[in-house]
Amino acid sequence: MSHIDETPTLYGLMAEFDNPSDLVRAAERARLAGYRNMDAYSPIPIEEINEALGYKRTRLPLLVLLGGICGGIGGYSLEYWSSVIAYPMNIGGRPFHSWPQFIPVTFETTVLGAALSAFVGMWALNGLPQPYHPVFNVPAFERASRDRFFLCIETIDPRFDRHATQQFLEGLHPLGVSEVAP
Amino acid sequence: MATASNVTHSHPSPERMSADLLRPLLQTSWRFYLLVALLGSIVAAGAVAWVTQMFFGFGISGIRWPIYWGFYVTNFVFWIGISHAGTLISAILRLVNAGWRRPVTRCAEVITAFALMIGAMFPIIHLGRPWLAFWLFPYSSERLIWPNFRSPLVWDFFAINTYLTGSMLFLLLPMIPDFAVVRDKTTGLRHRIYRTLALGWRGTPKQWHRLESAMSIMAVAIIPVAVSVHTIVSFDFSMAPVPMWQSTIFGPYFVAGAIFSGIAGLIIAMAVLRKVLRLQEYLLPLHFENLGKLLLVMALLWGYFVFNERLVTYYGNEPSEMTVFWQTQRDNYAPLYWTMVICNFVLPLIILGIRKFRTITGCVIASIGVVIGMWLERYLIIVPSLGHKYLPYSFGSYRPQPAEITITVATFAAMCLLYVLFAKVVPIISIWEMKAGDHPSPSLIPPATEHHKLGELHL
């Protein structure tokens, strides 16, 4: 693995494409070439690129399941505790622990827990809010939210070489290759 | 993902799409200020009416024994019903991956969020001492009192709050990438605000994947909640010993009516947006056609439920129920009742059932009819029954007073105002979802390179 002297001043090299297919193809080629520390940026979700970048499924559904279970248990416990222990009251001769009537609220708190954990989990796993990221230093990157597709190979990649990687990226026929300041 | 989306073809280029959909955010005409001032003053009038009611007490409203549920509860049920347009429809359309949903979903979800806020206001307006509304909240207070979890009213509190929270999150999640679009298109203070709102969104595959997972999970979760909300609202009625209320049909009847009025509200909102924000290239006649068909189906369903409810009452022939029955069918409330039937059933059936009339204008006319009809339906469920309970001591009539009418009108203005302001700060059509629908999936394109050695990646 080659060591480059200018690494500290560089976050990575970024290639710009104007359609999703080129980006997917570029990511696949980069993976074949042995690059691992890279990321793609696109204005729309592209499912195909997940396999090109070697990503696995997200853990989000598991978090949501846990959140839902916690919500459900929490809701039912609240009802049980308040109606049986804290404030037992005879209402229409029903038992204090009248579980069929506790189901609607349990259901709602289950979904509430799941929805909140889906939202918070999405933020947390994605690292949002993220006030600073080096890719925003590239002037062309402002079109990444609209109609341009980017592939950035980062300097931390073991195979990263300032010149070889630049040549590799240019071989993918991008619209341009730019340096990303850290 | 994008395979089923070829229905909405021939969209403008991504760059023009961003420009078109961001125009309402970046350009403000005097009409906007005029509209906001107009709607704002109506809302202010409603606030004055509410404060007056708090100050002088409920005597100035028409609510008195035995009809304690007048306009306010009518509005409550009506607005909660309208809220079923959005999240429910958008969640269903997302789950079945309907390609034509893309320009519709956000318009719909916004309706849910705001209609729920307005609807949830009404139980509070309906309180003599609204500042004590928080007593419904289960928390350990110095009073050592806990809410009665066997009461549908407490279920309402949980159901509506869950639905409101869930709908807001469902609305906010797909807005993050759109805030990023606004961030990159603006300068100055606006840029700084939207940069904060975009949370540093970069659009990496991982971010997109998690966003889409979260969206599909929440779509699944929100559908049963939406159904449960109006079912529980109907429990407020069907668990009370009041003629014509004690009915097992109320759950589905309310949910069907809610979706019915919700679709109507959505069609009206979309038609107004299309005209005012010049979105003719995005909200196509196709969308109105599809929603019109949905409205037609719901009109038939609604008609079935009303017929069923009436038939069962008539067949049962219980005296106090028959009193209410004839009150609505041919006596005092008959004009309102038959207006409701015409607005909700006859009019949509004629306009939407005949293909020639199922244009944008036709859909809007039918929808306005449905909104009026559904408001009347809620009114006719509440008032005649409460005025004719089992014993003569509880017979009475109801006449809405200026305070109630002002507040009712103000809520319609509030809905419009919130919608106008929202469309001013957020792209009302999800930009990234529109673009995602336009790009064919790369997997459908054969790989250009012959030396494609990624066997393990392309199973």
Side-chain angles (χ1 to χ4, degrees):
Chain A
M1 302 303 132
S2 51
H3 283 276
I4 320 298
D5 29 25
E6 69 258 50
T7 18
T9 60
L10 198 63
Y11 172 78
L13 284 171
M14 188 182 251
E16 180 181 358
F17 302 92
D18 68 349
N19 67 72
S21 317
D22 284 354
L23 176 65
V24 173
R25 222 165 288 135
E28 285 169 350
R29 293 269 298 278
R31 189 168 172 78
L32 270 185
Y35 293 106
R36 290 294 177 270
N37 294 86
M38 55 183 174
D39 216 341
Y41 305 90
S42 58
I44 55 168
I46 308 169
E47 284 184 8
E48 289 71 15
I49 208 164
N50 284 334
E51 42 191 49
L53 293 176
Y55 290 152
K56 302 217 168 53
R57 293 170 68 91
T58 167
R59 285 168 299 157
L60 191 65
L62 188 66
L63 279 182
V64 176
L65 179 69
L66 290 177
I69 291 173
C70 289
I73 293 175
Y76 196 90
S77 321
L78 171 73
E79 291 178 280
Y80 182 84
W81 185 79
S82 63
S83 322
V84 179
I85 298 164
Y87 192 58
M89 193 145 87
N90 185 339
I91 291 159
R94 299 180 188 111
F96 294 136
H97 181 209
S98 35
W99 68 266
Q101 292 179 304
F102 292 172
I103 296 302
V105 171
T106 310
F107 170 72
E108 303 298 342
T109 52
T110 307
V111 176
L112 186 63
L116 284 174
S117 53
F119 189 77
V120 176
M122 200 289 274
W123 282 42
L125 292 176
N126 277 344
L128 301 177
Q130 188 170 28
Y132 177 78
H133 196 278
V135 289
F136 288 105
N137 293 330
V138 178
F141 192 75
E142 64 145 20
R143 293 184 74 170
S145 61
R146 301 209 300 280
D147 57 353
R148 288 285 190 268
F149 301 79
F150 293 86
L151 180 72
C152 179
I153 297 180
E154 292 155 25
T155 43
I156 50 167
D157 192 278
R159 293 183 72 93
F160 184 87
D161 178 282
R162 177 69 187 77
H163 302 290
T165 306
Q166 173 135 21
Q167 269 177 359
F168 169 76
L169 283 176
E170 273 162 2
L172 300 172
H173 310 295
L175 298 178
V177 176
S178 25
E179 295 182 359
V180 184
Chain B
M1 188 66 210
T3 45
S5 63
N6 295 330
V7 194
T8 50
H9 44 75
S10 75
H11 279 134
S13 71
E15 192 59 32
R16 238 195 80 210
M17 195 184 285
S18 308
D20 275 356
L21 298 179
L22 290 182
R23 193 183 339 103
L25 277 72
L26 305 177
Q27 293 171 15
T28 316
S29 77
W30 57 270
R31 290 190 204 89
F32 170 77
Y33 295 108
L34 186 70
L35 188 64
V36 168
L38 186 71
L39 294 170
S41 50
I42 301 175
V43 174
V48 169
W50 188 18
V51 172
T52 315
Q53 175 186 288
M54 277 192 259
F55 187 77
F56 290 106
F58 260 82
I60 68 159
S61 75
I63 301 171
R64 62 200 67 233
W65 171 260
I67 300 172
Y68 281 135
W69 288 6
F71 264 34
Y72 294 148
V73 178
T74 304
N75 289 334
F76 164 68
V77 182
F78 172 80
W79 280 114
I80 302 284
I82 290 285
S83 79
H84 279 56
T87 308
L88 188 60
I89 294 172
S90 120
I92 291 172
L93 293 180
R94 273 179 206 279
L95 279 186
V96 300
N97 202 6
W100 61 275
R101 76 168 192 277
R102 296 177 188 279
V104 179
T105 45
R106 186 165 298 154
C107 307
E109 288 156 15
V110 180
I111 295 185
T112 297
F114 292 148
L116 267 178
M117 287 179 195
I118 292 172
M121 284 283 289
F122 273 101
I124 300 175
I125 295 175
H126 192 246
L127 292 176
R129 285 180 282 174
W131 49 92
L132 297 183
F134 68 94
W135 281 11
L136 268 172
F137 197 80
Y139 71 106
S140 72
S141 66
E142 79 290 351
R143 293 169 289 121
L144 299 174
I145 292 174
W146 287 81
N148 172 19
F149 283 106
R150 299 171 192 87
S151 160
L153 296 175
V154 175
W155 302 349
D156 256 346
F157 173 81
F158 278 90
I160 290 170
N161 278 314
T162 300
Y163 191 35
L164 182 57
T165 314
S167 301
M168 298 281 276
L169 302 182
F170 196 62
L171 172 69
L172 285 172
L173 267 185
M175 263 157 54
I176 299 171
D178 276 355
F179 285 142
V181 179
V182 188
R183 169 193 69 196
D184 296 339
K185 282 283 273 190
T186 50
T187 50
L189 178 65
R190 244 197 212 114
H191 172 74
R192 288 215 295 282
I193 293 171
Y194 283 100
R195 192 177 62 194
T196 313
L197 290 173
L199 307 168
W201 178 265
R202 284 170 291 141
T204 64
K206 275 186 178 174
Q207 288 185 329
W208 282 119
H209 181 50
R210 287 178 191 129
L211 176 70
E212 293 208 309
S213 304
M215 284 307 290
S216 50
I217 293 169
M218 288 187 68
V220 175
I222 212 97
I223 292 171
V225 171
V227 172
S228 83
V229 166
H230 229 61
T231 309
I232 291 176
V233 168
S234 84
F235 287 171
D236 292 345
F237 294 83
S238 58
M239 289 198 177
V242 172
M244 300 277 292
W245 282 10
Q246 274 217 307
S247 157
T248 47
I249 206 177
F250 259 40
Y253 178 32
F254 270 51
V255 174
I259 300 171
F260 187 35
S261 62
I263 297 169
L266 175 59
I267 289 176
I268 295 172
M270 278 172 51
V272 174
L273 287 175
R274 183 174 194 268
K275 194 95 184 156
V276 176
L277 301 182
R278 285 175 279 151
L279 297 174
Q280 282 87 345
E281 282 176 89
Y282 301 91
L283 298 172
L284 306 170
L286 169 88
H287 299 117
F288 291 88
E289 162 102 8
N290 284 349
L291 287 171
K293 283 180 191 159
L294 213 53
L295 194 69
L296 179 63
V297 172
M298 296 312 294
L300 289 168
L301 194 59
W302 181 87
Y304 169 72
F305 274 118
V306 171
F307 172 71
N308 194 335
E309 188 211 15
R310 297 279 140 178
L311 179 75
V312 170
T313 308
Y314 183 74
Y315 196 72
N317 202 21
E318 204 263 328
S320 54
E321 294 213 325
M322 286 313 283
T323 314
V324 180
F325 181 85
W326 289 124
Q327 276 287 325
T328 49
Q329 221 70 29
R330 68 172 182 213
D331 295 339
N332 287 346
Y333 296 97
L336 291 179
Y337 182 83
W338 292 109
T339 311
M340 168 189 86
V341 171
I342 289 169
C343 284
N344 272 357
F345 194 68
V346 181
L347 191 69
L349 228 57
I350 293 172
I351 294 181
L352 302 172
I354 300 168
R355 176 176 292 206
K356 202 171 62 179
F357 297 153
R358 212 190 295 137
T359 57
I360 296 179
T361 323
C363 286
V364 171
I365 294 171
S367 301
I368 292 171
V370 169
V371 168
I372 296 169
M374 283 310 295
W375 195 89
L376 288 174
E377 191 226 67
R378 276 68 164 96
Y379 183 80
L380 287 168
I381 287 175
I382 292 168
V383 173
S385 288
L386 282 177
H388 301 85
K389 282 192 273 192
Y390 297 98
L391 294 173
Y393 82 98
S394 62
F395 289 178
S397 63
Y398 171 70
R399 193 159 288 273
Q401 296 303 308
E404 293 157 284
I405 296 168
T406 315
I407 290 177
T408 303
V409 173
T411 53
F412 284 86
M415 182 73 202
C416 301
L417 179 64
L418 288 169
Y419 214 97
V420 166
L421 293 178
F422 183 87
K424 189 77 216 158
V425 294
V426 178
I428 195 69
I429 289 178
S430 179
I431 297 174
W432 71 268
E433 285 185 85
M434 289 292 291
K435 287 180 190 163
D438 274 359
H439 278 286
S441 176
S443 67
L444 299 175
I445 306 166
T449 48
E450 298 307 314
H451 44 87
H452 198 277
K453 293 173 193 139
L454 293 169
E456 79 279 7
L457 296 177
H458 278 261
L459 290 172

